[in-house]
Amino acid sequence: MASKIKKELEKAGDKERARNSRWFFKTGKGEYGEGDIFWGIKVPEQRQIAKKFSHISLKEIEELLHDKVHECRLTALLVLVEKYAKAGEKEKEIIFKFYLKNYKYINNWDLVDLSAPKIVGDFLLSKNRKILYELAKSDNVWKKRIAVLVTFAFIKNKDLTDALKIAEILLNDEHDLIRKAVGWMLRETGKRDKKAEIDFLEKYASQMPRVMLRYAIEKLSPAERSYFLSKH
């Protein structure tokens, strides 16, 4: 079944889009997506294929997830999201563990962003979140990105505590993808509780990387943005 999905994906590919994707996802030497292969397929097309094959087994998903082609891995994760949404509690736990076991194949920001909140985030809504802090303190950029994106599921439920704690842990992270993700997380926090975001920024604006701060203050008023930028 995985081979059938690959054939559909390859057929939907576009060489020009693939070329643009290689640039956009930083696949050059020394970049975070070094060596990744793209066929150039739009995400909506991948979603359609994922829905069509949402019945496939975890073994087949794993085969697709281990593929060297970026869109194969993303489609595998979109299938997993579909499967998780329809699953009972026991199967959700199996999918959650499967996801974390295969983290090293979830190795670009779009792969993380389109799957982590809907699987790991949803699963941890009513459970112990110790694993979140293990991910955040990892040396692996994708584990850290997963930790940040997982909190978006909590933020939607106005549960902000872990988001702010994760932001503190990653405040001085050196990777641009983590700095931007934390800033985005703080911005989303502010949409639910502006005071919580403001209090955090009052405490940490002078310490955080400028790109993180700029992402965090994006939805604040011009006067508020100027104020926090002046503290940097």
Side-chain angles (χ1 to χ4, degrees), residues 25-36 141-142 175 177:
F25 289 100
K26 309 298 182 189
T27 63
K29 188 171 177 59
E31 295 182 309
Y32 60 75
E34 181 177 351
D36 207 353
V141 63
W142 307 120
H175 204 293
L177 285 176

Coordinates of all heavy atoms in Angstrom, one line a residue, residues 25-36 141-142 175 177:
F25 N 12.8 25.1 2.1 CA 13.0 24.2 3.3 C 14.5 24.0 3.6 O 14.9 23.1 4.3 CB 12.3 22.9 3.1 CG 10.8 23.0 3.2 CD1 10.0 23.1 2.1 CD2 10.2 23.1 4.5 CE1 8.6 23.2 2.2 CE2 8.8 23.3 4.6 CZ 8.0 23.3 3.5
K26 N 15.4 24.8 3.0 CA 16.8 24.9 3.4 C 17.5 23.6 3.3 O 18.0 23.0 4.2 CB 17.0 25.5 4.8 CG 16.2 26.8 5.0 CD 16.7 27.9 4.1 CE 16.0 29.2 4.4 NZ 16.3 30.2 3.4
T27 N 17.6 23.0 2.0 CA 18.2 21.7 1.8 C 19.6 21.8 1.4 O 20.2 20.7 1.1 CB 17.4 20.9 0.7 OG1 17.5 21.6 -0.5 CG2 15.9 20.8 1.1
G28 N 20.2 23.0 1.4 CA 21.6 23.1 1.0 C 22.6 22.6 2.0 O 22.2 22.3 3.2
K29 N 23.8 22.5 1.7 CA 24.9 21.9 2.6 C 25.0 22.8 3.8 O 25.1 24.0 3.7 CB 26.2 21.9 1.8 CG 27.3 21.2 2.6 CD 28.6 21.0 1.8 CE 29.7 20.4 2.6 NZ 29.3 19.1 3.1
G30 N 24.9 22.1 5.0 CA 25.0 22.8 6.2 C 23.7 23.4 6.7 O 23.6 23.9 7.9
E31 N 22.6 23.4 5.9 CA 21.3 23.9 6.3 C 20.5 22.8 7.1 O 20.8 21.6 7.0 CB 20.6 24.4 5.1 CG 21.3 25.6 4.5 CD 20.5 26.2 3.3 OE1 20.1 25.4 2.4 OE2 20.3 27.4 3.3
Y32 N 19.4 23.3 7.7 CA 18.7 22.3 8.6 C 18.0 21.2 7.8 O 17.8 20.1 8.3 CB 17.7 23.0 9.5 CG 16.6 23.8 8.8 CD1 15.5 23.2 8.2 CD2 16.7 25.2 8.8 CE1 14.5 23.9 7.6 CE2 15.7 26.0 8.2 CZ 14.6 25.3 7.6 OH 13.6 26.1 7.0
G33 N 17.7 21.4 6.6 CA 17.1 20.4 5.7 C 18.0 19.8 4.7 O 17.6 19.3 3.7
E34 N 19.3 19.8 5.0 CA 20.3 19.3 4.1 C 20.0 18.0 3.5 O 19.7 17.0 4.2 CB 21.7 19.2 4.8 CG 22.8 18.8 3.8 CD 24.2 18.8 4.5 OE1 24.3 19.3 5.7 OE2 25.1 18.3 3.9
G35 N 20.0 18.0 2.1 CA 19.8 16.7 1.4 C 18.4 16.2 1.2 O 18.2 15.2 0.6
D36 N 17.4 16.9 1.8 CA 16.1 16.5 1.7 C 15.6 16.5 0.2 O 16.0 17.4 -0.6 CB 15.1 17.3 2.5 CG 13.9 16.6 3.0 OD1 13.7 15.5 2.6 OD2 13.1 17.2 3.8
V141 N 17.0 19.5 17.5 CA 16.1 20.7 17.2 C 14.7 20.2 16.9 O 13.7 21.0 17.3 CB 16.7 21.4 15.9 CG1 16.7 20.6 14.7 CG2 15.9 22.7 15.7
W142 N 14.5 19.0 16.4 CA 13.1 18.6 16.0 C 12.3 18.2 17.3 O 11.1 18.4 17.4 CB 13.1 17.5 15.0 CG 13.9 17.9 13.8 CD1 15.0 17.4 13.3 CD2 13.7 19.1 13.0 NE1 15.5 18.1 12.2 CE2 14.7 19.2 12.0 CE3 12.7 20.1 13.0 CZ2 14.8 20.2 11.0 CZ3 12.8 21.1 12.0 CH2 13.8 21.2 11.1
H175 N 19.0 28.0 17.9 CA 18.4 27.7 16.5 C 17.3 28.6 16.1 O 16.4 28.9 16.9 CB 18.0 26.3 16.5 CG 18.0 25.7 15.1 ND1 17.1 26.1 14.1 CD2 18.7 24.7 14.5 CE1 17.3 25.4 13.0 NE2 18.3 24.6 13.2
L177 N 14.9 28.2 14.1 CA 13.6 27.6 14.0 C 12.9 27.5 15.4 O 11.7 27.5 15.5 CB 13.7 26.2 13.4 CG 13.9 26.1 11.9 CD1 14.1 24.6 11.5 CD2 12.7 26.7 11.2

